[in-house]
Amino acid sequence: MSSIVKCKFSKCLNANSLIEEARNLGLIPLPKNQKGIEEILMDMNIKFSPFTEEKAELGKKLYFEPRLSKSGIISCNTCHNLGLGGADGVSAAIGHRWTVNPHYLNSPTVYNSILNASQFWDGRATTLVEQAKGPIEAEPEMATPAKLAVEKISSLPEYVNEFKKIYGKSGVTFDNIADAIANFERTLITPSRFDKFLEGDENALSKKEQEGLKLFIDKGCVACHSGVNLGGNMQPFQVANQYKFASLGDFKGDENGLVKTPTLRNIAETAPYFHNGAIWSLNEAIREMGSTQLGISISNKEAETIAVFLKSLTGEKPKVIYPQLPASTEKTPKPQL
Amino acid sequence: MSSIVKCKFSKCLNANSLIEEARNLGLIPLPKNQKGIEEILMDMNIKFSPFTEEKAELGKKLYFEPRLSKSGIISCNTCHNLGLGGADGVSAAIGHRWTVNPHYLNSPTVYNSILNASQFWDGRATTLVEQAKGPIEAEPEMATPAKLAVEKISSLPEYVNEFKKIYGKSGVTFDNIADAIANFERTLITPSRFDKFLEGDENALSKKEQEGLKLFIDKGCVACHSGVNLGGNMQPFQVANQYKFASLGDFKGDENGLVKTPTLRNIAETAPYFHNGAIWSLNEAIREMGSTQLGISISNKEAETIAVFLKSLTGEKPKVIYPQLPASTEKTPKPQL
């Protein structure tokens, strides 16, 4: 390994050694099926609800269901837009009655989020089932108390039947709503060329991308952006220096000053960056992380090279047929705008 | 015909005569392909842009493209939700910065809207190309001046290439953006059992539904709700009596006091009803129309029977794969919230 580190990248970079190095550092390819996801979740000691296609299909409807919001016009997909890398492209999330997220927090991508060890910027949830409930209930987001969410969904016979079929007697509950959504989100996995590379396909990444990966490793980015998601775990916030936009919003990490490291998968599609979405350029974001987290200076050219690698993490998105939602009935609680 | 009118519905209702009567009154089935749509548009003397799959595919992206809004979070699909019968399920549309439509106007369904003789409640556009520009530019809706829309789309190379390929030299223009969207909307046709019935399948509607259709004709609803869309044309507003919620919002029809008759296709999915979305019950809406437009009293039971027919107009929706949108670039104008 040391001989590779010393040499001047692309000239002597050996793809096989790089693959080995990356895997030794804990970078692993995306699982190929739901069984593979479960194995990773078990390894991470994360509880999960057993996957079924029926749950995922119901969850897809609920994911696109604006009636889960108090207003009837905001769905999970509003802020975690499957067409926009699973995020919304604005600095801080906009919710009910156009409320800017009170902590000025940026919406993270939903893609591959099942594989995060922690959910939310402060990691206060570990499962997507727990996570899914948060934005539905949060007053500045979808603003729907659990009871109202259940009332709304229970007013739609098509949903009631599906819940009964899938969840038996318990039927429509807030837990089951979140469980179905989480099951849909489990299907939002985006394999990329990087995964092929990790699986041993030396040509899956160009020489320039391999060079970027090597720099990504050597600069120390991989220390936090590790694991199957190149992130998703809790890490100290502002290790070496203060983040230059730290004053925007009041987020200071969790009670121990930790922050969830965002996944780098699809990062080229999910600007703006950081918890408060203050940085729009990937290059600038890389350099800022060098300063903030690693206490090193990453040159513009180095950042460019790392960015070339990061772009190889843009994955193939699953085909999602836009769901047809059941028509409201006279029992459906009216939108509250 | 008169013998049928006199008889007591289902007992002596002859499906074949009913089909003939309906067709004689101008109720015609949905076209089966784009050529059929063009024939209808030519009959109605409506200009149209020649359809291509490529335009429709590009238009689909733009239809779901929130960056066409100033904020970056509102797309055509926000108010014309393909999962909710092509509408939004709220009384008056909510737009940029949570602005309620200043005239308190309800979002009409996008499904089959290509076949409307008029667009907008006041019929101020006749083509969907014209129509599509309205909400993008309107300050209380998507709030994006044409110039900004073009700037945003032009900042995304994938779009630029597609526009060049499809529209040649003119490339990304506001007209071409609207044209592509209109071409996608041309694919949003929803054939229903009623169409099969009109095509001659006597069993496509139940006896009860046929009875509802007969009442729909005999009560005079068909006078305005005619043609392929059972609506979509301009008609006098509040012919016999004032609409009971007329004071909600300031809409009074166009300069001649005319209002666009909404299509009845998928009407069971698109509550609330009327230009200001003040009535949530289909039954109540039917009775209100009897009073307002026809100057007759429609009983609760009759309204129920008509509603049974109207539900047969709920059509099969085309399968729409949720589009992947190009990633923003550093040139992309930032969201303005």
Side-chain angles (χ1 to χ4, degrees):
Chain A
M1 195 172 107
S2 62
S3 73
I4 294 171
V5 174
K6 277 178 206 143
C7 82
K8 275 291 175 196
F9 299 125
S10 27
K11 265 175 237 153
C12 56
L13 198 64
N14 178 298
N16 261 326
S17 315
L18 183 59
I19 292 171
E20 204 190 320
E21 187 182 359
R23 294 201 67 141
N24 286 340
L25 287 165
L27 294 173
I28 57 170
L30 282 173
K32 296 214 181 291
N33 50 40
Q34 290 298 331
K35 196 165 168 291
I37 290 178
E38 286 180 10
E39 280 163 14
I40 292 178
L41 294 178
M42 283 190 285
D43 276 355
M44 291 196 291
N45 220 354
I46 294 178
K47 277 196 301 184
F48 56 86
S49 132
F51 178 82
T52 71
E53 291 290 346
E54 291 70 27
K55 283 186 193 172
E57 203 47 46
L58 171 58
K60 181 174 86 170
K61 289 187 201 166
L62 297 168
Y63 188 84
F64 283 99
E65 180 54 88
R67 287 166 297 186
L68 275 178
S69 66
K70 192 173 180 178
S71 64
I73 58 172
I74 299 176
S75 72
C76 305
N77 191 62
T78 303
C79 294
H80 305 283
N81 191 320
L82 298 187
L84 289 174
D88 53 11
V90 295
S91 294
I94 304 291
H96 188 61
R97 298 187 63 79
W98 211 267
T99 309
V100 178
N101 182 285
H103 306 290
Y104 212 84
L105 288 174
N106 179 262
S107 308
T109 178
V110 67
Y111 282 116
N112 311 297
S113 58
I114 181 71
L115 297 168
N116 289 339
S118 301
Q119 306 293 343
F120 294 116
W121 283 102
D122 63 2
R124 68 184 179 277
T126 51
T127 71
L128 279 185
V129 178
E130 267 181 90
Q131 188 282 329
K133 297 176 192 171
I136 297 176
E137 288 200 286
E139 188 62 33
E141 301 188 48
M142 295 165 80
T144 310
K147 200 180 152 222
L148 178 60
V150 170
E151 212 183 318
K152 284 189 166 195
I153 299 303
S154 300
S155 74
L156 306 164
E158 188 182 316
Y159 279 137
V160 173
N161 292 338
E162 280 187 64
F163 272 93
K164 255 190 213 150
K165 213 172 128 191
I166 294 170
Y167 294 101
K169 258 192 186 163
S170 63
V172 182
T173 65
F174 198 50
D175 283 338
N176 290 344
I177 289 171
D179 184 76
I181 293 172
N183 267 271
F184 169 59
E185 290 171 336
R186 277 180 65 159
T187 67
L188 302 177
I189 302 295
T190 68
S192 66
R193 287 187 292 111
F194 178 61
D195 297 286
K196 284 195 183 140
F197 185 72
L198 286 181
E199 284 157 7
D201 178 354
E202 297 176 33
N203 301 314
L205 295 190
S206 71
K207 277 293 163 198
K208 190 81 188 168
E209 286 164 341
Q210 293 180 34
E211 199 179 312
L213 168 58
K214 188 74 183 97
L215 252 184
F216 176 82
I217 291 171
D218 291 348
K219 289 287 179 188
C221 312
V222 74
C224 293
H225 291 286
S226 60
V228 64
N229 250 357
L230 301 93
N233 46 358
M234 299 302 287
Q235 299 288 348
F237 185 43
Q238 309 182 107
V239 176
N241 285 294
Q242 206 186 31
Y243 167 49
K244 70 178 167 193
F245 294 108
S247 62
L248 183 60
D250 63 5
F251 181 72
K252 301 279 176 279
D254 72 0
E255 56 198 5
N256 302 310
L258 302 180
V259 58
K260 185 188 70 180
T261 311
T263 177
L264 293 178
R265 293 189 177 274
N266 305 299
I267 193 73
E269 298 181 330
T270 58
Y273 303 113
F274 301 116
H275 62 279
N276 58 11
I279 293 185
W280 288 81
S281 140
L282 186 53
N283 188 302
E284 193 186 341
I286 293 164
R287 285 179 288 139
E288 180 65 15
M289 280 291 94
S291 154
T292 307
Q293 298 298 96
L294 298 165
I296 58 170
S297 170
I298 296 178
S299 73
N300 189 39
K301 207 177 153 221
E302 287 167 333
E304 266 172 28
T305 306
I306 293 173
V308 167
F309 158 61
L310 293 183
K311 283 172 190 161
S312 78
L313 293 168
T314 299
E316 198 184 325
K317 309 300 183 296
K319 277 198 172 50
V320 172
I321 294 172
Y322 197 78
Q324 290 301 319
L325 308 175
S328 289
T329 66
E330 299 201 9
K331 282 186 192 158
T332 308
K334 301 285 178 286
Q336 294 173 58
L337 295 153
Chain B
M1 192 172 109
S2 62
S3 73
I4 293 171
V5 173
K6 277 179 208 143
C7 82
K8 276 290 178 195
F9 299 124
S10 29
K11 267 175 237 154
C12 57
L13 197 66
N14 178 298
N16 261 328
S17 315
L18 183 59
I19 293 170
E20 203 189 323
E21 188 183 359
R23 296 201 65 141
N24 285 341
L25 287 165
L27 294 173
I28 56 169
L30 282 173
K32 296 214 180 289
N33 50 39
Q34 291 298 330
K35 195 165 168 293
I37 290 178
E38 287 181 7
E39 281 163 12
I40 292 179
L41 295 177
M42 283 191 285
D43 275 356
M44 291 196 291
N45 221 354
I46 294 178
K47 276 195 303 183
F48 56 87
S49 133
F51 178 83
T52 71
E53 291 289 347
E54 291 70 26
K55 282 185 194 172
E57 202 48 44
L58 171 59
K60 181 174 85 171
K61 288 187 202 168
L62 297 168
Y63 188 84
F64 283 99
E65 180 54 88
R67 287 166 298 188
L68 275 179
S69 66
K70 192 173 181 179
S71 65
I73 59 172
I74 300 175
S75 72
C76 304
N77 190 64
T78 303
C79 294
H80 305 284
N81 191 322
L82 298 187
L84 289 175
D88 53 11
V90 294
S91 294
I94 304 291
H96 188 62
R97 296 187 63 79
W98 210 266
T99 310
V100 178
N101 182 286
H103 305 290
Y104 211 85
L105 288 173
N106 180 261
S107 308
T109 179
V110 67
Y111 282 116
N112 310 297
S113 58
I114 181 72
L115 297 168
N116 289 340
S118 300
Q119 306 293 343
F120 296 115
W121 284 102
D122 63 1
R124 67 184 181 278
T126 51
T127 72
L128 280 185
V129 178
E130 266 180 272
Q131 188 281 329
K133 297 176 192 171
I136 297 176
E137 288 200 287
E139 188 63 31
E141 302 188 45
M142 294 165 80
T144 310
K147 201 180 151 221
L148 178 60
V150 170
E151 212 182 318
K152 285 189 165 196
I153 299 302
S154 300
S155 74
L156 305 166
E158 187 181 317
Y159 279 137
V160 173
N161 292 337
E162 279 187 64
F163 272 94
K164 255 190 212 151
K165 212 172 130 192
I166 295 169
Y167 294 101
K169 258 191 187 164
S170 62
V172 183
T173 65
F174 198 51
D175 282 339
N176 290 344
I177 289 171
D179 184 77
I181 292 173
N183 267 271
F184 169 59
E185 291 170 335
R186 276 180 66 159
T187 68
L188 302 177
I189 302 295
T190 68
S192 66
R193 287 187 293 112
F194 177 61
D195 297 287
K196 283 195 183 140
F197 186 73
L198 287 180
E199 285 157 7
D201 177 353
E202 298 176 34
N203 301 314
L205 295 189
S206 70
K207 277 295 164 198
K208 190 81 190 170
E209 287 164 341
Q210 292 181 36
E211 198 179 310
L213 168 57
K214 188 77 183 92
L215 251 184
F216 176 83
I217 291 172
D218 291 347
K219 290 287 178 188
C221 312
V222 74
C224 293
H225 291 284
S226 60
V228 64
N229 252 356
L230 301 93
N233 46 358
M234 299 302 288
Q235 300 289 349
F237 185 42
Q238 310 180 106
V239 176
N241 286 295
Q242 206 186 31
Y243 167 49
K244 69 177 167 194
F245 295 108
S247 63
L248 183 61
D250 63 4
F251 181 74
K252 301 279 177 282
D254 73 0
E255 58 200 3
N256 302 309
L258 302 180
V259 59
K260 184 187 71 180
T261 312
T263 176
L264 293 179
R265 292 189 177 273
N266 305 299
I267 193 73
E269 299 181 329
T270 58
Y273 303 111
F274 301 115
H275 63 279
N276 57 12
I279 293 184
W280 287 82
S281 139
L282 185 53
N283 188 302
E284 192 185 342
I286 293 165
R287 284 178 288 140
E288 180 65 15
M289 280 292 94
S291 154
T292 309
Q293 298 297 100
L294 298 165
I296 59 170
S297 170
I298 297 179
S299 73
N300 189 39
K301 204 174 157 226
E302 287 168 333
E304 265 173 27
T305 306
I306 293 173
V308 167
F309 159 62
L310 294 183
K311 284 172 190 162
S312 78
L313 293 168
T314 298
E316 197 183 327
K317 311 299 182 297
K319 277 201 172 46
V320 172
I321 294 172
Y322 198 78
Q324 291 300 319
L325 308 174
S328 289
T329 66
E330 299 201 9
K331 281 185 191 160
T332 309
K334 301 287 177 285
Q336 294 173 58
L337 294 153

